[in-house]
PDB file of all heavy atoms in Angstrom:
ATOM      1  N   TYR A   1       1.447   2.506  10.157  1.00 76.00           N
ATOM      2  CA  TYR A   1       1.664   2.624  11.607  1.00 76.00           C
ATOM      3  C   TYR A   1       3.141   2.881  11.909  1.00 76.00           C
ATOM      4  O   TYR A   1       3.483   3.781  12.689  1.00 76.00           O
ATOM      5  CB  TYR A   1       1.198   1.348  12.300  1.00 76.00           C
ATOM      6  CG  TYR A   1       1.537   1.289  13.778  1.00 76.00           C
ATOM      7  CD1 TYR A   1       0.766   1.981  14.706  1.00 76.00           C
ATOM      8  CD2 TYR A   1       2.621   0.544  14.224  1.00 76.00           C
ATOM      9  CE1 TYR A   1       1.075   1.940  16.051  1.00 76.00           C
ATOM     10  CE2 TYR A   1       2.940   0.500  15.574  1.00 76.00           C
ATOM     11  CZ  TYR A   1       2.169   1.189  16.483  1.00 76.00           C
ATOM     12  OH  TYR A   1       2.490   1.147  17.822  1.00 76.00           O
ATOM     13  N   VAL A   2       4.015   2.102  11.278  1.00 77.00           N
ATOM     14  CA  VAL A   2       5.450   2.260  11.524  1.00 77.00           C
ATOM     15  C   VAL A   2       5.945   3.610  11.021  1.00 77.00           C
ATOM     16  O   VAL A   2       6.744   4.274  11.685  1.00 77.00           O
ATOM     17  CB  VAL A   2       6.237   1.114  10.842  1.00 77.00           C
ATOM     18  CG1 VAL A   2       7.750   1.363  10.938  1.00 77.00           C
ATOM     19  CG2 VAL A   2       5.899  -0.221  11.478  1.00 77.00           C
ATOM     20  N   ALA A   3       5.453   4.029   9.848  1.00 75.00           N
ATOM     21  CA  ALA A   3       5.887   5.307   9.277  1.00 75.00           C
ATOM     22  C   ALA A   3       5.524   6.470  10.195  1.00 75.00           C
ATOM     23  O   ALA A   3       6.334   7.380  10.422  1.00 75.00           O
ATOM     24  CB  ALA A   3       5.264   5.501   7.899  1.00 75.00           C
ATOM     25  N   ARG A   4       4.308   6.440  10.747  1.00 76.00           N
ATOM     26  CA  ARG A   4       3.895   7.522  11.643  1.00 76.00           C
ATOM     27  C   ARG A   4       4.629   7.454  12.977  1.00 76.00           C
ATOM     28  O   ARG A   4       5.041   8.489  13.518  1.00 76.00           O
ATOM     29  CB  ARG A   4       2.378   7.461  11.866  1.00 76.00           C
ATOM     30  CG  ARG A   4       1.556   7.834  10.643  1.00 76.00           C
ATOM     31  CD  ARG A   4       0.087   7.925  10.974  1.00 76.00           C
ATOM     32  NE  ARG A   4      -0.458   6.633  11.395  1.00 76.00           N
ATOM     33  CZ  ARG A   4      -0.976   5.739  10.576  1.00 76.00           C
ATOM     34  NH1 ARG A   4      -1.007   5.988   9.278  1.00 76.00           N
ATOM     35  NH2 ARG A   4      -1.467   4.596  11.038  1.00 76.00           N
ATOM     36  N   ARG A   5       4.798   6.263  13.503  1.00 78.00           N
ATOM     37  CA  ARG A   5       5.440   6.110  14.807  1.00 78.00           C
ATOM     38  C   ARG A   5       6.918   6.503  14.763  1.00 78.00           C
ATOM     39  O   ARG A   5       7.429   7.123  15.695  1.00 78.00           O
ATOM     40  CB  ARG A   5       5.297   4.669  15.291  1.00 78.00           C
ATOM     41  CG  ARG A   5       5.803   4.454  16.719  1.00 78.00           C
ATOM     42  CD  ARG A   5       5.508   3.039  17.182  1.00 78.00           C
ATOM     43  NE  ARG A   5       5.961   2.817  18.540  1.00 78.00           N
ATOM     44  CZ  ARG A   5       5.283   3.145  19.620  1.00 78.00           C
ATOM     45  NH1 ARG A   5       4.090   3.727  19.503  1.00 78.00           N
ATOM     46  NH2 ARG A   5       5.760   2.902  20.836  1.00 78.00           N
ATOM     47  N   ARG A   6       7.587   6.144  13.672  1.00 71.00           N
ATOM     48  CA  ARG A   6       9.015   6.433  13.534  1.00 71.00           C
ATOM     49  C   ARG A   6       9.279   7.725  12.760  1.00 71.00           C
ATOM     50  O   ARG A   6      10.418   8.058  12.459  1.00 71.00           O
ATOM     51  CB  ARG A   6       9.711   5.258  12.842  1.00 71.00           C
ATOM     52  CG  ARG A   6       9.591   3.959  13.621  1.00 71.00           C
ATOM     53  CD  ARG A   6      10.215   2.778  12.908  1.00 71.00           C
ATOM     54  NE  ARG A   6      11.637   2.942  12.677  1.00 71.00           N
ATOM     55  CZ  ARG A   6      12.450   1.969  12.265  1.00 71.00           C
ATOM     56  NH1 ARG A   6      11.943   0.759  12.039  1.00 71.00           N
ATOM     57  NH2 ARG A   6      13.715   2.185  12.074  1.00 71.00           N
ATOM     58  N   LYS A   7       8.211   8.440  12.426  1.00 76.00           N
ATOM     59  CA  LYS A   7       8.307   9.699  11.688  1.00 76.00           C
ATOM     60  C   LYS A   7       9.081   9.498  10.385  1.00 76.00           C
ATOM     61  O   LYS A   7       9.987  10.262  10.045  1.00 76.00           O
ATOM     62  CB  LYS A   7       8.977  10.778  12.547  1.00 76.00           C
ATOM     63  CG  LYS A   7       8.197  11.122  13.804  1.00 76.00           C
ATOM     64  CD  LYS A   7       8.888  12.191  14.618  1.00 76.00           C
ATOM     65  CE  LYS A   7       8.097  12.528  15.879  1.00 76.00           C
ATOM     66  NZ  LYS A   7       8.777  13.560  16.704  1.00 76.00           N
ATOM     67  N   GLN A   8       8.688   8.456   9.640  1.00 69.00           N
ATOM     68  CA  GLN A   8       9.342   8.147   8.375  1.00 69.00           C
ATOM     69  C   GLN A   8       8.343   8.190   7.214  1.00 69.00           C
ATOM     70  O   GLN A   8       8.428   7.400   6.276  1.00 69.00           O
ATOM     71  CB  GLN A   8      10.008   6.775   8.446  1.00 69.00           C
ATOM     72  CG  GLN A   8      11.207   6.730   9.374  1.00 69.00           C
ATOM     73  CD  GLN A   8      11.883   5.373   9.395  1.00 69.00           C
ATOM     74  OE1 GLN A   8      11.254   4.351   9.166  1.00 69.00           O
ATOM     75  NE2 GLN A   8      13.170   5.358   9.687  1.00 69.00           N
ATOM     76  N   VAL A   9       7.394   9.103   7.303  1.00 70.00           N
ATOM     77  CA  VAL A   9       6.444   9.301   6.200  1.00 70.00           C
ATOM     78  C   VAL A   9       7.186  10.017   5.071  1.00 70.00           C
ATOM     79  O   VAL A   9       7.701  11.119   5.262  1.00 70.00           O
ATOM     80  CB  VAL A   9       5.237  10.132   6.655  1.00 70.00           C
ATOM     81  CG1 VAL A   9       4.295  10.374   5.482  1.00 70.00           C
ATOM     82  CG2 VAL A   9       4.508   9.439   7.789  1.00 70.00           C
ATOM     83  N   THR A  10       7.286   9.394   3.913  1.00 71.00           N
ATOM     84  CA  THR A  10       8.045   9.945   2.793  1.00 71.00           C
ATOM     85  C   THR A  10       7.162  10.072   1.552  1.00 71.00           C
ATOM     86  O   THR A  10       6.164   9.364   1.417  1.00 71.00           O
ATOM     87  CB  THR A  10       9.238   9.033   2.447  1.00 71.00           C
ATOM     88  OG1 THR A  10       8.738   7.784   1.944  1.00 71.00           O
ATOM     89  CG2 THR A  10      10.105   8.770   3.674  1.00 71.00           C
ATOM     90  N   PRO A  11       7.538  10.961   0.631  1.00 68.00           N
ATOM     91  CA  PRO A  11       6.783  11.078  -0.625  1.00 68.00           C
ATOM     92  C   PRO A  11       6.750   9.755  -1.396  1.00 68.00           C
ATOM     93  O   PRO A  11       5.742   9.412  -2.005  1.00 68.00           O
ATOM     94  CB  PRO A  11       7.552  12.157  -1.398  1.00 68.00           C
ATOM     95  CG  PRO A  11       8.223  12.973  -0.332  1.00 68.00           C
ATOM     96  CD  PRO A  11       8.573  12.005   0.752  1.00 68.00           C
ATOM     97  N   LEU A  12       7.860   9.007  -1.374  1.00 66.00           N
ATOM     98  CA  LEU A  12       7.899   7.720  -2.067  1.00 66.00           C
ATOM     99  C   LEU A  12       6.895   6.749  -1.459  1.00 66.00           C
ATOM    100  O   LEU A  12       6.172   6.050  -2.171  1.00 66.00           O
ATOM    101  CB  LEU A  12       9.306   7.125  -1.992  1.00 66.00           C
ATOM    102  CG  LEU A  12       9.477   5.737  -2.630  1.00 66.00           C
ATOM    103  CD1 LEU A  12       9.193   5.812  -4.122  1.00 66.00           C
ATOM    104  CD2 LEU A  12      10.882   5.205  -2.373  1.00 66.00           C
ATOM    105  N   GLY A  13       6.844   6.701  -0.138  1.00 65.00           N
ATOM    106  CA  GLY A  13       5.901   5.817   0.537  1.00 65.00           C
ATOM    107  C   GLY A  13       4.462   6.208   0.262  1.00 65.00           C
ATOM    108  O   GLY A  13       3.601   5.342   0.049  1.00 65.00           O
ATOM    109  N   GLN A  14       4.189   7.508   0.247  1.00 67.00           N
ATOM    110  CA  GLN A  14       2.832   7.985  -0.031  1.00 67.00           C
ATOM    111  C   GLN A  14       2.411   7.655  -1.455  1.00 67.00           C
ATOM    112  O   GLN A  14       1.222   7.475  -1.724  1.00 67.00           O
ATOM    113  CB  GLN A  14       2.760   9.496   0.212  1.00 67.00           C
ATOM    114  CG  GLN A  14       2.887   9.879   1.678  1.00 67.00           C
ATOM    115  CD  GLN A  14       2.936  11.379   1.884  1.00 67.00           C
ATOM    116  OE1 GLN A  14       3.488  12.119   1.070  1.00 67.00           O
ATOM    117  NE2 GLN A  14       2.357  11.851   2.977  1.00 67.00           N
ATOM    118  N   MET A  15       3.375   7.560  -2.362  1.00 71.00           N
ATOM    119  CA  MET A  15       3.057   7.214  -3.745  1.00 71.00           C
ATOM    120  C   MET A  15       2.877   5.697  -3.905  1.00 71.00           C
ATOM    121  O   MET A  15       1.965   5.232  -4.578  1.00 71.00           O
ATOM    122  CB  MET A  15       4.177   7.694  -4.671  1.00 71.00           C
ATOM    123  CG  MET A  15       3.949   7.339  -6.132  1.00 71.00           C
ATOM    124  SD  MET A  15       5.392   7.638  -7.170  1.00 71.00           S
ATOM    125  CE  MET A  15       6.493   6.336  -6.594  1.00 71.00           C
ATOM    126  N   MET A  16       3.769   4.921  -3.260  1.00 76.00           N
ATOM    127  CA  MET A  16       3.739   3.460  -3.434  1.00 76.00           C
ATOM    128  C   MET A  16       2.593   2.793  -2.697  1.00 76.00           C
ATOM    129  O   MET A  16       2.068   1.774  -3.159  1.00 76.00           O
ATOM    130  CB  MET A  16       5.061   2.850  -2.946  1.00 76.00           C
ATOM    131  CG  MET A  16       6.235   3.056  -3.856  1.00 76.00           C
ATOM    132  SD  MET A  16       7.533   1.825  -3.546  1.00 76.00           S
ATOM    133  CE  MET A  16       7.695   1.908  -1.764  1.00 76.00           C
ATOM    134  N   ASP A  17       2.184   3.333  -1.555  1.00 78.00           N
ATOM    135  CA  ASP A  17       1.185   2.661  -0.725  1.00 78.00           C
ATOM    136  C   ASP A  17      -0.142   2.443  -1.455  1.00 78.00           C
ATOM    137  O   ASP A  17      -0.624   1.306  -1.529  1.00 78.00           O
ATOM    138  CB  ASP A  17       0.969   3.446   0.570  1.00 78.00           C
ATOM    139  CG  ASP A  17       0.045   2.724   1.523  1.00 78.00           C
ATOM    140  OD1 ASP A  17       0.406   1.618   1.983  1.00 78.00           O
ATOM    141  OD2 ASP A  17      -1.051   3.248   1.798  1.00 78.00           O
ATOM    142  N   PRO A  18      -0.772   3.485  -2.020  1.00 78.00           N
ATOM    143  CA  PRO A  18      -2.031   3.233  -2.746  1.00 78.00           C
ATOM    144  C   PRO A  18      -1.834   2.388  -3.994  1.00 78.00           C
ATOM    145  O   PRO A  18      -2.725   1.611  -4.369  1.00 78.00           O
ATOM    146  CB  PRO A  18      -2.524   4.643  -3.107  1.00 78.00           C
ATOM    147  CG  PRO A  18      -1.318   5.507  -3.051  1.00 78.00           C
ATOM    148  CD  PRO A  18      -0.447   4.920  -1.992  1.00 78.00           C
ATOM    149  N   LEU A  19      -0.665   2.495  -4.639  1.00 82.00           N
ATOM    150  CA  LEU A  19      -0.385   1.675  -5.808  1.00 82.00           C
ATOM    151  C   LEU A  19      -0.329   0.198  -5.426  1.00 82.00           C
ATOM    152  O   LEU A  19      -0.901  -0.654  -6.112  1.00 82.00           O
ATOM    153  CB  LEU A  19       0.939   2.100  -6.442  1.00 82.00           C
ATOM    154  CG  LEU A  19       1.445   1.236  -7.607  1.00 82.00           C
ATOM    155  CD1 LEU A  19       0.457   1.282  -8.767  1.00 82.00           C
ATOM    156  CD2 LEU A  19       2.832   1.695  -8.059  1.00 82.00           C
ATOM    157  N   ALA A  20       0.339  -0.098  -4.313  1.00 85.00           N
ATOM    158  CA  ALA A  20       0.437  -1.486  -3.847  1.00 85.00           C
ATOM    159  C   ALA A  20      -0.941  -2.027  -3.493  1.00 85.00           C
ATOM    160  O   ALA A  20      -1.259  -3.192  -3.787  1.00 85.00           O
ATOM    161  CB  ALA A  20       1.370  -1.564  -2.634  1.00 85.00           C
ATOM    162  N   ASP A  21      -1.781  -1.201  -2.857  1.00 86.00           N
ATOM    163  CA  ASP A  21      -3.143  -1.623  -2.505  1.00 86.00           C
ATOM    164  C   ASP A  21      -3.943  -1.998  -3.745  1.00 86.00           C
ATOM    165  O   ASP A  21      -4.614  -3.040  -3.790  1.00 86.00           O
ATOM    166  CB  ASP A  21      -3.866  -0.511  -1.748  1.00 86.00           C
ATOM    167  CG  ASP A  21      -3.254  -0.241  -0.388  1.00 86.00           C
ATOM    168  OD1 ASP A  21      -2.514  -1.113   0.111  1.00 86.00           O
ATOM    169  OD2 ASP A  21      -3.513   0.844   0.168  1.00 86.00           O
ATOM    170  N   LYS A  22      -3.874  -1.131  -4.757  1.00 88.00           N
ATOM    171  CA  LYS A  22      -4.658  -1.368  -5.982  1.00 88.00           C
ATOM    172  C   LYS A  22      -4.161  -2.602  -6.730  1.00 88.00           C
ATOM    173  O   LYS A  22      -4.967  -3.372  -7.263  1.00 88.00           O
ATOM    174  CB  LYS A  22      -4.595  -0.127  -6.871  1.00 88.00           C
ATOM    175  CG  LYS A  22      -5.386   1.055  -6.329  1.00 88.00           C
ATOM    176  CD  LYS A  22      -5.191   2.298  -7.178  1.00 88.00           C
ATOM    177  CE  LYS A  22      -6.067   3.436  -6.689  1.00 88.00           C
ATOM    178  NZ  LYS A  22      -5.810   3.789  -5.279  1.00 88.00           N
ATOM    179  N   LEU A  23      -2.852  -2.803  -6.773  1.00 90.00           N
ATOM    180  CA  LEU A  23      -2.312  -3.983  -7.438  1.00 90.00           C
ATOM    181  C   LEU A  23      -2.770  -5.259  -6.741  1.00 90.00           C
ATOM    182  O   LEU A  23      -3.173  -6.234  -7.388  1.00 90.00           O
ATOM    183  CB  LEU A  23      -0.774  -3.921  -7.451  1.00 90.00           C
ATOM    184  CG  LEU A  23      -0.131  -2.943  -8.433  1.00 90.00           C
ATOM    185  CD1 LEU A  23       1.379  -2.906  -8.213  1.00 90.00           C
ATOM    186  CD2 LEU A  23      -0.440  -3.335  -9.868  1.00 90.00           C
ATOM    187  N   LEU A  24      -2.726  -5.247  -5.413  1.00 92.00           N
ATOM    188  CA  LEU A  24      -3.091  -6.441  -4.644  1.00 92.00           C
ATOM    189  C   LEU A  24      -4.564  -6.786  -4.813  1.00 92.00           C
ATOM    190  O   LEU A  24      -4.916  -7.930  -5.138  1.00 92.00           O
ATOM    191  CB  LEU A  24      -2.762  -6.223  -3.164  1.00 92.00           C
ATOM    192  CG  LEU A  24      -3.096  -7.381  -2.219  1.00 92.00           C
ATOM    193  CD1 LEU A  24      -2.273  -8.611  -2.569  1.00 92.00           C
ATOM    194  CD2 LEU A  24      -2.872  -6.970  -0.764  1.00 92.00           C
ATOM    195  N   THR A  25      -5.445  -5.814  -4.583  1.00 92.00           N
ATOM    196  CA  THR A  25      -6.880  -6.098  -4.660  1.00 92.00           C
ATOM    197  C   THR A  25      -7.319  -6.397  -6.097  1.00 92.00           C
ATOM    198  O   THR A  25      -8.145  -7.285  -6.325  1.00 92.00           O
ATOM    199  CB  THR A  25      -7.702  -4.927  -4.099  1.00 92.00           C
ATOM    200  OG1 THR A  25      -7.339  -3.709  -4.777  1.00 92.00           O
ATOM    201  CG2 THR A  25      -7.454  -4.750  -2.606  1.00 92.00           C
ATOM    202  N   SER A  26      -6.764  -5.679  -7.063  1.00 93.00           N
ATOM    203  CA  SER A  26      -7.141  -5.911  -8.465  1.00 93.00           C
ATOM    204  C   SER A  26      -6.717  -7.306  -8.906  1.00 93.00           C
ATOM    205  O   SER A  26      -7.492  -8.020  -9.565  1.00 93.00           O
ATOM    206  CB  SER A  26      -6.500  -4.861  -9.375  1.00 93.00           C
ATOM    207  OG  SER A  26      -6.988  -3.569  -9.081  1.00 93.00           O
ATOM    208  N   ALA A  27      -5.497  -7.711  -8.555  1.00 94.00           N
ATOM    209  CA  ALA A  27      -5.020  -9.044  -8.925  1.00 94.00           C
ATOM    210  C   ALA A  27      -5.880 -10.129  -8.288  1.00 94.00           C
ATOM    211  O   ALA A  27      -6.222 -11.133  -8.928  1.00 94.00           O
ATOM    212  CB  ALA A  27      -3.556  -9.210  -8.510  1.00 94.00           C
ATOM    213  N   ALA A  28      -6.247  -9.924  -7.023  1.00 95.00           N
ATOM    214  CA  ALA A  28      -7.080 -10.908  -6.323  1.00 95.00           C
ATOM    215  C   ALA A  28      -8.464 -11.004  -6.960  1.00 95.00           C
ATOM    216  O   ALA A  28      -8.976 -12.108  -7.210  1.00 95.00           O
ATOM    217  CB  ALA A  28      -7.197 -10.537  -4.852  1.00 95.00           C
ATOM    218  N   PHE A  29      -9.093  -9.865  -7.240  1.00 95.00           N
ATOM    219  CA  PHE A  29     -10.437  -9.867  -7.823  1.00 95.00           C
ATOM    220  C   PHE A  29     -10.440 -10.501  -9.223  1.00 95.00           C
ATOM    221  O   PHE A  29     -11.335 -11.287  -9.560  1.00 95.00           O
ATOM    222  CB  PHE A  29     -10.990  -8.448  -7.904  1.00 95.00           C
ATOM    223  CG  PHE A  29     -11.646  -7.984  -6.640  1.00 95.00           C
ATOM    224  CD1 PHE A  29     -11.331  -6.763  -6.068  1.00 95.00           C
ATOM    225  CD2 PHE A  29     -12.603  -8.771  -6.011  1.00 95.00           C
ATOM    226  CE1 PHE A  29     -11.948  -6.334  -4.901  1.00 95.00           C
ATOM    227  CE2 PHE A  29     -13.230  -8.353  -4.839  1.00 95.00           C
ATOM    228  CZ  PHE A  29     -12.896  -7.135  -4.288  1.00 95.00           C
ATOM    229  N   ILE A  30      -9.457 -10.156 -10.037  1.00 95.00           N
ATOM    230  CA  ILE A  30      -9.389 -10.719 -11.389  1.00 95.00           C
ATOM    231  C   ILE A  30      -9.188 -12.228 -11.326  1.00 95.00           C
ATOM    232  O   ILE A  30      -9.773 -12.986 -12.112  1.00 95.00           O
ATOM    233  CB  ILE A  30      -8.264 -10.043 -12.197  1.00 95.00           C
ATOM    234  CG1 ILE A  30      -8.634  -8.575 -12.466  1.00 95.00           C
ATOM    235  CG2 ILE A  30      -8.024 -10.769 -13.515  1.00 95.00           C
ATOM    236  CD1 ILE A  30      -7.526  -7.759 -13.087  1.00 95.00           C
ATOM    237  N   SER A  31      -8.385 -12.676 -10.375  1.00 94.00           N
ATOM    238  CA  SER A  31      -8.181 -14.122 -10.194  1.00 94.00           C
ATOM    239  C   SER A  31      -9.484 -14.801  -9.785  1.00 94.00           C
ATOM    240  O   SER A  31      -9.797 -15.899 -10.250  1.00 94.00           O
ATOM    241  CB  SER A  31      -7.099 -14.374  -9.144  1.00 94.00           C
ATOM    242  OG  SER A  31      -5.851 -13.846  -9.551  1.00 94.00           O
ATOM    243  N   LEU A  32     -10.255 -14.156  -8.913  1.00 94.00           N
ATOM    244  CA  LEU A  32     -11.536 -14.721  -8.475  1.00 94.00           C
ATOM    245  C   LEU A  32     -12.538 -14.785  -9.623  1.00 94.00           C
ATOM    246  O   LEU A  32     -13.356 -15.709  -9.688  1.00 94.00           O
ATOM    247  CB  LEU A  32     -12.105 -13.894  -7.319  1.00 94.00           C
ATOM    248  CG  LEU A  32     -11.336 -13.991  -5.990  1.00 94.00           C
ATOM    249  CD1 LEU A  32     -11.888 -13.001  -4.972  1.00 94.00           C
ATOM    250  CD2 LEU A  32     -11.396 -15.412  -5.429  1.00 94.00           C
ATOM    251  N   VAL A  33     -12.476 -13.823 -10.539  1.00 94.00           N
ATOM    252  CA  VAL A  33     -13.328 -13.882 -11.732  1.00 94.00           C
ATOM    253  C   VAL A  33     -12.926 -15.066 -12.592  1.00 94.00           C
ATOM    254  O   VAL A  33     -13.779 -15.815 -13.093  1.00 94.00           O
ATOM    255  CB  VAL A  33     -13.225 -12.568 -12.539  1.00 94.00           C
ATOM    256  CG1 VAL A  33     -13.918 -12.716 -13.888  1.00 94.00           C
ATOM    257  CG2 VAL A  33     -13.847 -11.413 -11.764  1.00 94.00           C
ATOM    258  N   GLN A  34     -11.631 -15.250 -12.778  1.00 92.00           N
ATOM    259  CA  GLN A  34     -11.137 -16.376 -13.564  1.00 92.00           C
ATOM    260  C   GLN A  34     -11.544 -17.714 -12.948  1.00 92.00           C
ATOM    261  O   GLN A  34     -11.816 -18.683 -13.655  1.00 92.00           O
ATOM    262  CB  GLN A  34      -9.605 -16.292 -13.669  1.00 92.00           C
ATOM    263  CG  GLN A  34      -8.940 -17.424 -14.429  1.00 92.00           C
ATOM    264  CD  GLN A  34      -9.326 -17.446 -15.894  1.00 92.00           C
ATOM    265  OE1 GLN A  34      -9.680 -16.410 -16.471  1.00 92.00           O
ATOM    266  NE2 GLN A  34      -9.273 -18.621 -16.504  1.00 92.00           N
TER     267      GLN A  34
END
């Protein structure tokens, strides 16, 4: 939301955003399995 509103969409952000999502959900799911 902030990136679009402030026109700060960057290649770095586009790369990190899905990576951060996958790390967060994967870590949570693996912990729940444990």
Side-chain angles (χ1 to χ4, degrees):
Y1 173 79
V2 173
R4 290 187 296 270
R5 186 174 181 83
R6 299 177 61 169
K7 298 180 180 179
Q8 291 182 332
V9 178
T10 66
L12 177 63
Q14 291 175 325
M15 178 190 70
M16 285 201 311
D17 186 64
L19 174 62
D21 293 342
K22 289 175 176 58
L23 285 174
L24 180 63
T25 55
S26 296
F29 275 130
I30 292 172
S31 298
L32 291 173
V33 170
Q34 178 65 26

